Amino acid sequence: MSTAPTALRAAPTTASRALLAAFGLAAAVDLVSLLAGAELGHQLAKPLLMPLLAAYAVTRGAPKLLVAALLFGWGGDVFLLSDADWAFLVGMGSFAAGHVCYLVHFGRRRTSPLLGAGYAAALVGTVALLWPDLPADLRIPVAGYSLLLAAMAYRASSLGLLAGLGGALFLLSDTLIATGVAEWPQLPAPDFWVMLTYIAAQYLLAAGVLAAMYGERRTNV
């Protein structure tokens, strides 16, 4: 039997629309700043992204694990603003904790074995290519993190197209970071492409989780 509270939670409120607009504005400022070489704009906008997206998710009745994943992403964002090696490792650890939150939320939903084989091949190939060019002290942490990230990206597809695309873009974004750490040739404005794919990834993951959550609620009514 359908209930009014569920319907109300499913509908965006004025607060949720305002928070989503603020997230979009912060994303635009960050990306334009990166293209323009305005480091201050990036330093100010980047730390706002995930808290705004997490707050939006809360107003939509999001699961706690989604909110936690986004806030761990915020921790990673903040630490990666520093160029220090320790900050890179702490930031990577914070993102890893976020991936664990996503994986726990995805649970045992069914996914495509063929897609899993594709992600496994991409993981092994990418790590093998990057390995010789990574700093020696980062090889094991990067490989372990890459395994966790690939697992999250693969399992995200269990929630549908939005979350699946989000997982794939997250993998792409972090692969771009890894190529920079390995000092491979980079695209023009490399930080722009990293942030563009990352912002899209987190938004699509959040949207996919919310869409699946409300779909399951309607199915179970």
Side-chain angles (χ1 to χ4, degrees), residues 43-105:
Q43 295 276 340
L44 293 175
K46 185 181 180 183
L48 297 177
L49 293 168
M50 291 306 107
L52 287 169
L53 187 56
Y56 163 74
V58 168
T59 65
R60 298 295 313 278
K64 292 180 181 178
L65 284 170
L66 170 60
V67 178
L70 295 172
L71 292 179
F72 277 122
W74 169 70
D77 289 345
V78 171
F79 281 108
L80 290 188
L81 285 171
S82 169
D83 292 330
D85 289 345
W86 69 265
F88 178 82
L89 288 171
V90 174
M92 187 165 61
S94 189
F95 280 122
H99 297 326
V100 171
C101 291
Y102 278 127
L103 282 167
V104 173
H105 177 73

Side-chain angles (χ1 to χ4, degrees), residues 24-49 81 189-193 195-196 199:
L25 177 60
V29 169
D30 188 52
L31 295 173
V32 170
S33 296
L34 289 171
L35 284 177
E39 182 62 21
L40 179 60
H42 173 59
Q43 295 276 340
L44 293 175
K46 185 181 180 183
L48 297 177
L49 293 168
L81 285 171
D191 289 343
F192 168 82
W193 298 108
M195 287 305 299
L196 177 64
I199 291 168

